[in-house]
Amino acid sequence: MKKWMIPGIGAAAVVLVIAVVVLTSGGKADTGTPAGVTAAYLDAMKSGDYAKAYQYAGQEFDKEAYKNSAGFQKNVLAETYAQMEYEIGGEEIQDNKATVEVTVRNANYMELLDQAIYETLKQGGDDAYTEQVYLENLKKAEKKEETVLVNYRLEEGEWVFDGSNSLLQAAMLGYLRIPE
């Protein structure tokens, strides 16, 4: 082996170790900042950890209500959130209030659900058929992009949602229509 290859192999090994650490770290966000809370919230929604997402939002997750929800609804929402993409933009903090700009891309949940229900009615299908049609359409649907502001308040040293942040929720499901 040539002497000049040894430093190259060592450098490649270091880069590989760093890449493995970054890729396996789970993308843990710094939840001490509003931008970090936003990223953690969106990651939890994408992964289906709704109880954790609600914690980041400063809200109580109703496990019983979720458990009693229709499986069809849980499945299509989980898949819709899972395919969501987002980018955290600027963060502004003034005293105990903050806003975070976030750009969200996702397919239009309402539009796809309407299409799946219509197809189910035409075919005389059931919920399983509707879910199948929805998921097929979701895979090939164009993602809509919206940029919204997420509002926070500082509560007992932690940043929590200030209000419902309904614009973020609508953007996450791809059906927000902000006039231009």
Side-chain angles (χ1 to χ4, degrees):
M1 184 178 290
K2 305 233 185 242
K3 287 184 181 181
W4 60 268
M5 289 178 65
I6 293 171
I9 292 171
V14 169
V15 168
L16 181 61
V17 168
I18 291 171
V20 168
V21 168
V22 168
L23 292 174
T24 60
S25 69
K28 304 237 187 238
D30 171 16
T31 56
T33 67
V37 173
T38 304
Y41 170 78
L42 292 169
D43 286 344
M45 291 299 290
K46 281 179 66 76
S47 69
D49 190 349
Y50 306 125
K52 182 61 94 179
Y54 272 65
Q55 282 180 335
Y56 291 128
Q59 300 170 351
E60 186 78 24
F61 180 67
D62 188 343
K63 290 178 190 171
E64 196 61 32
Y66 180 76
K67 185 175 114 184
N68 293 326
S69 297
F72 163 78
Q73 187 69 16
K74 288 190 274 193
N75 294 342
V76 298
L77 281 173
E79 287 297 321
T80 304
Y81 288 134
Q83 74 132 22
M84 169 183 62
E85 301 168 355
Y86 71 87
E87 292 174 33
I88 303 295
E91 170 187 79
E92 264 189 55
I93 300 174
Q94 288 189 324
D95 301 321
N96 64 344
K97 299 280 184 182
T99 58
V100 176
E101 182 182 86
V102 62
T103 301
V104 180
R105 285 174 295 288
N106 211 349
N108 187 322
Y109 165 79
M110 298 298 285
E111 196 173 276
L112 294 176
L113 189 57
D114 286 348
Q115 291 169 2
I117 291 170
Y118 176 74
E119 186 63 31
T120 300
L121 292 173
K122 280 185 7 184
Q123 299 298 322
D126 57 8
D127 279 355
Y129 182 78
T130 306
E131 183 176 336
Q132 175 190 341
V133 171
Y134 178 87
L135 295 177
E136 288 170 3
N137 290 344
L138 180 63
K139 289 177 186 172
K140 55 188 173 186
E142 179 183 336
K143 292 184 180 184
K144 307 208 183 307
E145 180 176 295
E146 295 295 344
T147 300
V148 297
L149 290 178
V150 183
N151 300 304
Y152 287 91
R153 70 180 180 281
L154 192 58
E155 191 172 279
E156 298 179 15
E158 293 186 19
W159 291 104
V160 296
F161 278 20
D162 189 14
S164 71
N165 283 306
S166 58
L167 294 180
L168 174 62
Q169 303 305 318
M172 290 167 58
L173 293 172
Y175 62 81
L176 179 63
R177 303 237 194 286
I178 297 179
E180 294 184 29

